[in-house]
Amino acid sequence: MTDRPSTDADRSTSSSPVPVIDAVAFDASEPDALARFWQSLLGGELRPAEDGVIELHGAAVRLDFVRVPETKQVKNRQHLDLYVPPDTRNDAIDRALKLGASRADDIYDGGLWQCMRDPEGNEFCFVWGAASRPSE
């Protein structure tokens, strides 16, 4: 046992496989409509799966939309952070609002990012700035 934290190099030589994120799943009352919102926001191709899941392909990770009987009750414990260049942040927010999103200023109302809700209330954030740049 060692006091140092594990590194990527440690994990790659481990005998246990490191899982890779396959998809992010959204529970939805209306998966078709929610999938179309996210497709309009992010682009990509919608593909219905045999099990009734609607898959959005074409982003960094696949998004899956699954019909569930209950509606969203409380704040998400996880959410997507979507990077936008600082000079386009207002355009991104306005576009999301026109597509059916709403601002979530009750979660965070400041200048570092913008919390939003999709049409079914799932939170996501537009983030900008040097610390938020996608890896190159």
Side-chain angles (χ1 to χ4, degrees), residues 63-117:
L63 302 182
D64 289 351
F65 302 90
V66 182
R67 184 177 306 279
V68 295
E70 69 278 357
T71 59
K72 183 174 178 297
Q73 300 294 317
V74 297
K75 181 182 175 295
N76 294 12
R77 295 290 301 247
Q78 72 280 328
H79 64 268
L80 299 179
D81 279 351
L82 306 174
Y83 173 79
V84 293
D87 59 333
T88 66
R89 67 185 185 207
N90 291 330
D91 291 338
I93 293 165
D94 290 344
R95 185 166 167 266
L97 292 169
K98 288 176 186 168
L99 292 171
S102 57
R103 295 174 69 101
D105 293 337
D106 58 308
I107 296 172
Y108 172 79
D109 186 11
L112 300 176
W113 60 85
Q114 177 60 57
C115 291
M116 306 289 290
R117 289 190 177 90

Side-chain angles (χ1 to χ4, degrees), residues 2-49:
T2 169
D3 290 336
R4 70 178 179 81
S6 66
T7 65
D8 287 340
D10 294 333
R11 286 188 287 275
S12 66
T13 60
S14 170
S15 61
S16 299
V18 177
V20 175
I21 296 173
D22 181 54
V24 174
F26 287 75
D27 288 353
S29 298
E30 297 294 331
D32 294 322
L34 191 58
R36 285 191 304 277
F37 164 83
W38 282 98
Q39 179 190 34
S40 295
L41 188 66
L42 300 175
E45 175 188 359
L46 292 177
R47 299 180 195 164

